[in-house]
Amino acid sequence: MPIAKVNGQEVEFEPGMTVLQVAERAGEEIPRFCYHERLSIAGNCRMCLVEVKPGPPKPQASCALPAADGQEIFTNTPMVEKARKGVMEFLLINHPLDCPICDQGGECDLQDQAMGYGREHSRYDENKRAVEEKHMGPTIKTYMTRCIQCTRCVRFITEIAGVPDIGLLNRGENAEISTYLQQAVDSELSGNVNDLCPVGALTHRPWQFHYRAWELKKTETLDVMDALGSNIRADSRGAEVMRTLPRVNEGINEEWLSDRSRYAVDGLTQRRLDKPWVRDARGKLKPATWDEALVAVADRLKVAKPEKIGVIAGDLQDAESMYAALTLFRALGSANTDCRQDGAALGGSGREGWLFNSSLQGIEQADAVLLVGTNPRVEAPLLNARLRKIWLSGKAQIGLIGEATSLTYDYTHFGEGADALAKPAKALTDLLAKAERPAIIVGAGALIGKDGAAVLNALGALAKKTGVVKEDWNGFNVLHHAASRVGGLDMGFVPGQGGLSAVEMAKKDKLDVLFLLGADEIDASATSAFKVYLGSHGDRGAHGADVILPGAAYTEKPGLYVNTEGRVQLAERVVFPKGEAKEDWAILRALSERVGRTLPFDSLDALRHHLFGAHPTFGRIGYLAPAGSFDVASLGAKGELGKGAFTSPLADAYLTNPIARASATMAELSAQRSGQRLMAAE
């Protein structure tokens, strides 16, 4: 390996690295504004100047300068110090003195580097220029007079998000960042530009003037707005979660976060259930004590026949609450248990049959990808960014069976529904068969409905024929959109012998008691059963319930979640439940006493001990098992394939769960997306 000297210290580096990267490998801090390791190199700000020998006797931008064998790099000479002070002075010429009111204050790169590398005072006495503010949508607040034209936002939105809505206009002193035709940024990843902005020109509109960074308590936890299990940091003040920011996890979300995951937190304080409610004889919901509510539920469960009792788990449930519910209802003799509100035909095979087997990071090794019944831009924006990455690099060709839509990359459209799988076109089979590492990504849109099992069977046959699953490669992937789904399937939260599915339980005259464990995405209005809702928000599930038991939101309880690739992760409590609300498992434990089927645990640790004993997979926290080969042809069941188009169960990209539907920011984003669609249609 080549060797360079950094301030006299020899450093080995890989060919192709820049001087900045070599200096950082040696432990030297190099200031920068425009450079970001995940974006293309721009060389705009010139803050990363260093002295290099051999070379011209002047400072050079280290971010854009390739390192060479035998090079000598100096980061702290008088020449470098003077050059950085000069650059900082120029950058601050037009910058307003907004630090006392700027939301970036306390977390501002410009503020920090001005203190570390700038002059003690300004020599600029001329008038400062001002730049008109821009409209960039509900997530981005602009103060463009602060902008130093680093173009991080332009490069992210173009390269990573794939929506070139932001650009640099004009030249010289008139240069400014703007959206085209003053339109809002139409991307599910738009909030990341606020994180990238080093100077406070772009800040988070939903949180403006709500907090100061040093007021917040920081807790590392997980996101549950989709099934990726993105690692986040939730910042709270008192009893309120003020914001969520991404944490770096190369295997899952890198360092990005989708807008739904980032900005839905304002829904945690709205439409909350903070006390039990019981419907009286006149059909009116009345506030009740915990004992009254639990007794009302227990009385119904005691008299109902086991085959007339059912429970449906929602999309945001933690593994502990689902295990407690499954254990309780199995003890009551009920086989009517299901975690698949959408009716997806999954759960009848081994674990590989419902996992994203390639892994989220591993999908970047694929050289051909077929999307079936899924829109990853809506269901998993960060996975979509990975697919765009391999498409941009020229590594992979992408095909789609489903609704034609903008995915931020080119693809070959093979059809809209299951008929494209009945007799696959030669171009489709060639796409997979000629690839070294082919992959199929199947979404819920293909697996719901009467022919879901038949579609899964057809996909298994196609995967076997084209070599999608091999000894050293498993390219069969199921993309879930519900955070609880894989955990539920792993523990067997599916109908038992002779049990009813979620869709069947919601039908008329099927059950006498229906327990909705945070289940809001299924329409249970047709059933005449006594409905019990345990959840955190007054959403669809609570509207027709006879008893409402207030539970904790995902930020208000510790819990285990299994993401779509099968990785078990631990979420931490950020704040405590609202009002009289309790953790879900504790409510189920109290209910079990009143029905005479006391659960064998009375603490969270004891519950997890039982869970790990029954299902050892849940005890391997943070571990992603390597995907082994399996008989992909055994998936699903034979049947007749329908002719209708695959439709996603996510009707709205931003209103996908009770927390999102309670969020004002999500409502704004939904309205913006709907308005843009109407304009496009006109």
Side-chain angles (χ1 to χ4, degrees):
M1 292 179 69
I3 297 175
K5 283 187 177 181
V6 180
N7 296 333
Q9 175 188 348
E10 287 192 348
V11 180
E12 286 188 350
F13 64 92
E14 298 172 10
M17 294 183 74
T18 64
V19 168
L20 185 148
Q21 292 170 319
V22 173
E24 288 194 330
R25 178 168 284 196
E28 297 294 334
E29 180 182 1
I30 305 294
R32 85 290 298 270
F33 293 115
C34 68
Y35 174 79
H36 192 279
E37 56 270 17
R38 299 187 196 274
L39 304 176
S40 61
I41 294 172
N44 288 351
C45 71
R46 320 306 287 180
M47 194 64 204
C48 62
L49 295 174
V50 297
E51 188 176 350
V52 177
K53 293 181 181 178
K58 65 177 183 179
Q60 299 189 65
S62 59
C63 70
L65 184 65
D69 189 29
Q71 213 169 35
E72 291 188 75
I73 303 166
F74 301 94
T75 67
N76 53 13
T77 62
M79 177 195 292
V80 171
E81 183 179 347
K82 181 179 179 182
R84 289 177 180 170
K85 285 185 177 181
V87 169
M88 179 61 70
E89 192 171 14
F90 276 114
L91 290 176
L92 292 174
I93 277 178
N94 288 310
H95 198 77
L97 301 177
D98 281 348
C99 296
I101 62 164
C102 179
D103 276 335
Q104 201 92 324
E107 300 174 312
C108 178
D109 292 347
L110 184 65
Q111 205 174 45
D112 295 341
Q113 293 185 37
M115 293 294 292
Y117 302 99
R119 298 174 61 90
E120 292 80 6
H121 61 277
S122 173
R123 297 179 293 176
Y124 187 74
D125 296 324
E126 307 299 323
N127 292 327
K128 293 177 179 282
R129 79 160 185 165
V131 181
E132 182 182 351
E133 305 309 329
K134 315 297 181 187
H135 172 66
M136 293 192 181
T139 64
I140 305 171
K141 176 62 179 174
T142 64
Y143 293 90
M144 301 314 294
T145 303
R146 301 173 187 164
C147 181
I148 61 169
Q149 289 83 47
C150 71
T151 69
R152 278 188 180 184
C153 56
V154 177
R155 285 174 284 148
F156 173 84
I157 214 71
T158 303
E159 298 167 8
I160 308 293
V163 182
D165 286 348
I166 303 178
L168 181 67
L169 304 178
N170 308 322
R171 300 179 67 183
E173 190 179 2
N174 295 321
E176 56 184 87
I177 301 291
S178 177
T179 54
Y180 298 110
L181 303 177
Q182 294 294 303
Q183 289 188 351
V185 176
D186 182 23
S187 172
E188 297 78 13
L189 301 172
S190 64
N192 292 288
V193 301
N194 301 325
D195 288 344
L196 287 170
C197 183
V199 298
L202 306 178
T203 56
H204 301 280
R205 182 182 288 275
W207 309 331
Q208 63 176 331
F209 308 138
H210 282 198
Y211 58 80
R212 282 301 199 177
W214 51 84
E215 300 175 328
L216 304 179
K217 175 187 174 185
K218 302 169 177 62
T219 307
E220 294 186 349
T221 184
L222 298 177
D223 166 60
V224 300
M225 294 294 126
D226 58 31
L228 299 190
S230 298
N231 287 207
I232 62 172
R233 192 189 80 199
D235 293 354
S236 60
R237 184 177 60 194
E240 184 178 355
V241 179
M242 305 299 293
R243 66 178 183 180
T244 56
L245 300 173
R247 287 189 290 132
V248 176
N249 187 316
E250 297 295 343
I252 302 176
N253 59 302
E254 298 180 286
E255 63 180 83
W256 315 123
L257 198 59
S258 69
D259 289 348
R260 185 171 62 225
S261 300
R262 185 189 298 269
Y263 295 118
V265 289
D266 60 335
L268 290 168
T269 59
Q270 305 298 318
R271 305 181 193 172
R272 290 303 304 269
L273 300 173
D274 58 359
K275 65 180 70 172
W277 295 79
V278 176
R279 198 175 297 276
D280 62 17
R282 295 179 298 172
K284 299 291 185 182
L285 282 171
K286 300 290 185 182
T289 64
W290 268 109
D291 192 59
E292 290 170 344
L294 292 173
V295 167
V297 178
D299 288 347
R300 290 288 186 147
L301 289 172
K302 286 177 182 177
V303 300
K305 295 179 180 179
E307 63 270 18
K308 289 290 187 177
I309 299 171
V311 57
I312 303 173
D315 292 349
L316 306 183
Q317 291 304 123
D318 55 289
E320 292 89 341
S321 66
M322 288 192 292
Y323 182 71
L326 185 64
T327 306
L328 173 58
F329 280 82
R330 286 285 190 264
L332 292 170
S334 173
N336 305 319
T337 56
D338 205 351
C339 65
R340 305 162 303 177
Q341 292 184 87
D342 53 16
L346 292 169
S349 61
R351 193 171 188 243
E352 292 85 359
W354 59 73
L355 292 185
F356 199 96
N357 292 290
S358 300
S359 81
L360 298 173
Q361 189 174 23
I363 196 65
E364 294 184 21
Q365 300 175 24
D367 49 0
V369 180
L370 176 65
L371 304 173
V372 184
T374 182
N375 181 349
R377 183 175 173 185
V378 170
E379 297 170 27
L382 297 174
L383 171 64
N384 199 62
R386 288 189 186 270
L387 294 176
R388 174 174 168 79
K389 186 192 299 186
I390 61 174
W391 172 77
L392 273 179
S393 66
K395 291 181 182 177
Q397 292 180 294
I398 299 176
L400 171 68
I401 299 177
E403 183 184 3
T405 185
S406 172
L407 293 177
T408 72
Y409 42 80
D410 294 337
Y411 58 84
T412 304
H413 193 212
F414 292 111
E416 294 195 342
D419 52 344
L421 295 170
K423 292 183 178 179
K426 185 176 184 302
L428 193 160
T429 55
D430 285 350
L431 173 74
L432 299 173
K434 293 182 178 180
E436 196 172 318
R437 291 179 178 267
I440 294 175
I441 300 177
V442 55
L447 302 176
I448 59 178
K450 295 180 181 179
D451 61 343
V455 169
L456 196 57
N457 179 268
L459 285 170
L462 176 64
K464 186 169 186 177
K465 178 181 178 182
T466 56
V468 169
V469 179
K470 309 174 185 178
E471 192 171 316
D472 60 342
W473 171 254
N474 188 339
F476 185 82
N477 303 298
V478 177
L479 177 59
H480 296 278
H481 61 269
S484 65
R485 187 64 52 85
V486 174
L489 294 172
D490 280 352
M491 71 175 65
F493 206 114
V494 292
Q497 186 69 33
L500 302 175
S501 69
V503 175
E504 292 169 332
M505 281 188 262
K507 292 180 179 178
K508 188 176 182 180
D509 299 330
K510 290 290 186 180
L511 297 177
D512 290 338
V513 180
L514 176 59
F515 197 100
L516 300 173
L517 181 62
D520 293 277
E521 311 311 318
I522 189 166
D523 183 6
S525 59
T527 180
S528 56
F530 182 84
K531 292 193 284 291
V532 182
Y533 178 76
L534 193 166
S536 60
H537 283 68
D539 201 71
R540 298 166 182 167
H543 287 173
D546 297 291
V547 176
I548 297 173
L549 306 175
Y554 74 103
T555 54
E556 299 164 1
K557 57 185 175 183
L560 294 170
Y561 293 88
V562 190
N563 75 348
T564 192
E565 60 183 353
R567 190 193 305 260
V568 181
Q569 298 187 100
L570 178 63
E572 298 289 352
R573 179 193 287 120
V574 182
V575 294
F576 286 91
K578 301 292 182 284
E580 299 177 34
K582 310 291 182 185
E583 292 181 25
D584 300 6
W585 76 266
I587 297 171
L588 292 162
R589 172 64 171 77
L591 177 62
S592 70
E593 288 185 3
R594 287 164 173 79
V595 296
R597 296 287 191 275
T598 303
L599 293 173
F601 40 78
D602 55 9
S603 69
L604 187 61
D605 286 342
L607 188 161
R608 286 177 176 166
H609 179 74
H610 280 266
L611 174 62
F612 298 164
H615 306 283
T617 302
F618 288 91
R620 308 176 78 177
I621 298 173
Y623 175 71
L624 181 63
S629 60
F630 73 108
D631 184 10
V632 71
S634 64
L635 294 170
K638 291 185 178 180
E640 188 174 341
L641 292 172
K643 294 186 178 180
F646 293 143
T647 56
S648 173
L650 300 184
D652 191 302
Y654 296 107
L655 306 180
T656 58
N657 59 63
I659 298 173
R661 286 189 286 270
S663 165
T665 307
M666 293 298 102
E668 285 187 58
L669 286 167
S670 175
Q672 173 194 298
R673 176 63 60 85
S674 299
Q676 287 172 338
R677 284 178 177 169
L678 287 173
M679 289 176 64
E682 292 173 357

